[in-house]
Amino acid sequence: VASALAFDMYGTLVDPARWAGALAGQVAEPERFAGVWRRHQLEISWLLSLMGRYEDWRAVTGYAFDAALAETGQAAIGGREELLERVDDDPRLFDDTAEALARLQRDGHRLAVLSNGTPRQLHAILERTGIAERFAEVVSVDEVGVFKPSPAVYEHSARRLGLPPGQVWLVSGNPFDVAGAKAAGLHAVRVERGPALRYGFVEPPDLVVSSLAELADTFPELSRPG
Ligand code: LAC
């Protein structure tokens, strides 16, 4: 089948809410902090992209950490660098992920990663979580120098996979990412990992699943040629 599934990383394969574990004892209300941090991470990636600037995801994550401290009224903490390292070094897969990827690969699907993360971060996550060999390609926005949901990112992924955009299926738990993929002419699967947002200004996803297990059940039928 001449198609490929391109998986988002943070919020789809690995769970950013698990950052709370590394934050415990370092900041007040670690669970709330993890959510505020994540929101600033995305906002800053959009700010930079609209400004026509680029700094990599690692840098964005640091700026977002400082913004989250300010928003939650906390002073700068000692050991900021170590904490950022620790979060990077301890990725946690969502429970449904490893098995679903194995099934999709066994069914003959070509799998890729398409993420805001740097190539170094992405390869480290894949190695540490033991899913590296599921993926034929690892595509980072770093290769383009702009963040999701710029159309340049999705178009680049299709070029990297050697496919027309309409034959790439982005799989993401992030509604803004699904919207970006549809706007750029890709197919998109939304994994319901959070509130079911709807954006009326773009086409809806081609498929909505409650888990990656459901994707592994559904996708072979959906992508059958003819
Ligand atoms: C990513 C962001 C969206 O992995 O979390 O690309």
Side-chain angles (χ1 to χ4, degrees), residues 9 18 24 28 43 45 49 55 64 77 93 102-103 111 118 120 141 149 160 167-168 180 192 209 211 216 219 226:
M9 179 58 84
R18 301 282 191 94
E43 279 184 17
S45 71
S49 297
E55 294 198 44
I77 63 163
L93 292 180
R103 280 172 58 200
L111 311 184
T118 65
R120 188 160 167 271
V141 303
R160 274 283 308 274
Q167 279 162 247
V168 179
E192 291 181 302
V209 293
S211 67
F219 192 73

Side-chain angles (χ1 to χ4, degrees), residues 16-221:
R18 301 282 191 94
W19 289 348
L23 292 166
Q26 307 280 324
V27 299
E29 295 185 80
E31 297 209 346
R32 174 169 166 251
F33 188 94
V36 174
W37 187 6
R38 169 69 175 165
R39 181 167 47 73
H40 279 294
Q41 194 186 32
L42 294 174
E43 279 184 17
I44 291 168
S45 71
W46 300 329
L47 281 171
L48 283 168
S49 297
L50 278 171
M51 291 171 183
R53 295 193 186 179
Y54 181 76
E55 294 198 44
D56 75 19
W57 192 239
R58 184 65 209 277
V60 167
T61 304
Y63 294 131
F65 183 78
D66 300 335
L69 284 175
E71 181 173 326
T72 57
Q74 304 185 63
I77 63 163
R80 173 188 183 275
E81 287 311 305
E82 291 73 15
L83 191 125
L84 292 174
E85 286 287 333
R86 217 162 42 246
V87 165
D88 258 358
D89 286 351
D90 190 25
R92 307 292 176 87
L93 292 180
F94 285 99
D95 291 343
D96 58 358
T97 298
E99 169 66 18
L101 293 173
R103 280 172 58 200
L104 286 163
Q105 188 185 40
R106 209 179 308 134
D107 288 345
H109 296 292
R110 190 168 161 220
L111 311 184
V113 171
L114 175 61
S115 173
N116 280 343
T118 65
R120 188 160 167 271
Q121 287 175 311
L122 296 176
H123 286 287
I125 291 171
L126 296 176
E127 292 301 331
R128 280 172 202 275
T129 59
I131 56 172
E133 63 279 28
R134 301 287 166 246
F135 296 100
E137 305 287 341
V138 177
V139 184
S140 164
V141 303
D142 216 47
E143 298 162 20
V144 196
V146 65
F147 289 104
K148 296 175 177 180
S150 168
V153 166
Y154 303 99
E155 287 157 8
H156 175 73
S157 75
R159 274 195 305 277
R160 274 283 308 274
L161 292 164
L163 292 170
Q167 279 162 247
V168 179
W169 292 67
L170 177 88
V171 180
S172 182
N174 292 301
F176 85 92
D177 192 16
V178 169
K182 289 303 296 178
L186 277 66
H187 281 92
V189 179
R190 177 165 145 64
V191 188
E192 291 181 302
R193 301 239 197 251
L197 295 184
R198 259 168 221 282
Y199 295 124
F201 49 85
V202 276
E203 280 177 70
D206 300 276
L207 177 67
V208 179
V209 293
S210 61
S211 67
L212 291 182
E214 193 184 333
L215 175 67
D217 291 339
T218 319
F219 192 73
E221 194 56 46

